Amino acid sequence: MSPLQEDTVPFTDRIGILGAGRAGTALARAAATVGIPVNIASSRSPSQMKYHLAQYAPQATAVPANDIGADVSLVVLMVPQDDLDDVDRESLAGLTLVDATNRWDDMPLPSWLEDGQAAGLSSSEVIAQHFASSRIVKALNHISHWDLDSDSSTRQAQQRALAVASDHEADAVLVARLVRTLGFTPVLVGELSKGSLLEPEGEIFNQVLSPAQLRTLLHKS
């Protein structure tokens, strides 16, 4: 694997987060600690999310789900995979879409996702086919929401590596900038098919690894 060239300029643009559960709100809080503005949406309306966000992500701006792609540099997909059929694909057209979703053994999946994985594709490759008008980057899925939400100085001190996979080089570099600004060390690993190595059954999932350790595990897999 030859890593792509990274861009170390800090990420300061507004991002969208689709999903306001534990992972989505953890990312919103982590972004807020480093000055990244956040729009967040869920299946509930902004008014219905008011008190939830006041407690769990007070600095995030609630928007309707169909508007999550407006005026942001990228959208992070943090909904359960069994809810993907409820996501409006047109609202994400033309955007960098970060697939931070995971498949869990007891989770029922949309038929298109089940069929694609049965054919040997990674979940992100199938999601890329489904959201064909977006540019998919696999990232932020192999870290727990507790670790994502850790103190920013702790994140910097750990120098924990997080993998970024995509078939679109510029989008991978953009997401790597976000990962670095959040306090982690991005490792650009190439094509989207590598995303299968980041899923829950893999050696990388939820492990605190240095860049060298992460690259070694990716190379062995």
Side-chain angles (χ1 to χ4, degrees):
M1 292 179 301
S2 57
L4 304 173
Q5 183 176 359
E6 292 185 35
D7 181 348
T8 58
V9 175
F11 188 103
T12 58
D13 297 340
R14 181 173 293 274
I15 65 170
I17 300 174
L18 191 54
R22 288 178 294 182
T25 53
L27 177 57
R29 291 191 297 272
T33 65
V34 292
I36 298 172
V38 172
N39 289 352
I40 192 165
S42 74
S43 57
R44 291 174 288 174
S45 69
S47 60
Q48 290 171 323
M49 287 196 293
K50 179 179 178 181
Y51 297 109
H52 175 74
L53 293 181
Q55 181 175 1
Y56 295 109
Q59 291 176 282
T61 300
V63 300
N66 287 354
D67 293 339
I68 193 62
D71 302 319
V72 296
S73 286
L74 56 83
V75 172
V76 184
L77 189 60
M78 298 189 111
V79 301
Q81 287 188 345
D82 56 336
D83 288 341
L84 287 173
D85 275 338
D86 297 329
V87 177
D88 177 28
R89 287 180 281 183
E90 289 303 312
S91 68
L92 303 171
L95 288 172
T96 303
L97 182 60
V98 182
D99 175 21
T101 69
N102 285 304
R103 178 177 185 172
W104 306 105
D105 289 339
D106 58 349
M107 179 185 292
L109 295 179
S111 58
W112 54 267
L113 185 52
E114 192 86 60
D115 292 345
Q117 290 185 287
L121 297 176
S122 70
S123 63
S124 289
E125 289 177 292
V126 188
I127 287 172
Q129 292 178 349
H130 186 69
F131 294 94
S133 297
S134 303
R135 299 178 301 279
I136 307 300
V137 180
K138 186 70 171 180
L140 297 173
N141 72 299
H142 65 96
I143 180 173
S144 74
H145 63 87
W146 292 285
D147 289 342
L148 185 61
D149 200 21
S150 62
D151 178 79
S152 59
S153 60
T154 300
R155 297 198 299 267
Q156 293 283 358
Q158 278 186 331
Q159 294 188 332
R160 179 174 178 172
L162 296 183
V164 178
S166 182
D167 295 335
H168 303 279
E169 181 171 345
D171 299 278
V173 170
L174 177 68
V175 175
R177 283 178 53 213
L178 171 64
V179 168
R180 185 178 296 282
T181 303
L182 289 171
F184 304 99
T185 303
V187 174
L188 294 158
V189 301
E191 63 269 19
L192 198 57
S193 60
K194 301 286 187 183
S196 61
L197 304 176
L198 316 181
E199 294 175 355
E201 66 275 10
E203 293 182 79
I204 293 163
F205 189 80
N206 207 22
Q207 298 300 309
V208 179
L209 302 168
S210 69
Q213 290 171 323
L214 177 56
R215 290 190 180 100
T216 297
L217 286 176
L218 288 167
H219 183 73
K220 285 169 51 180
S221 300

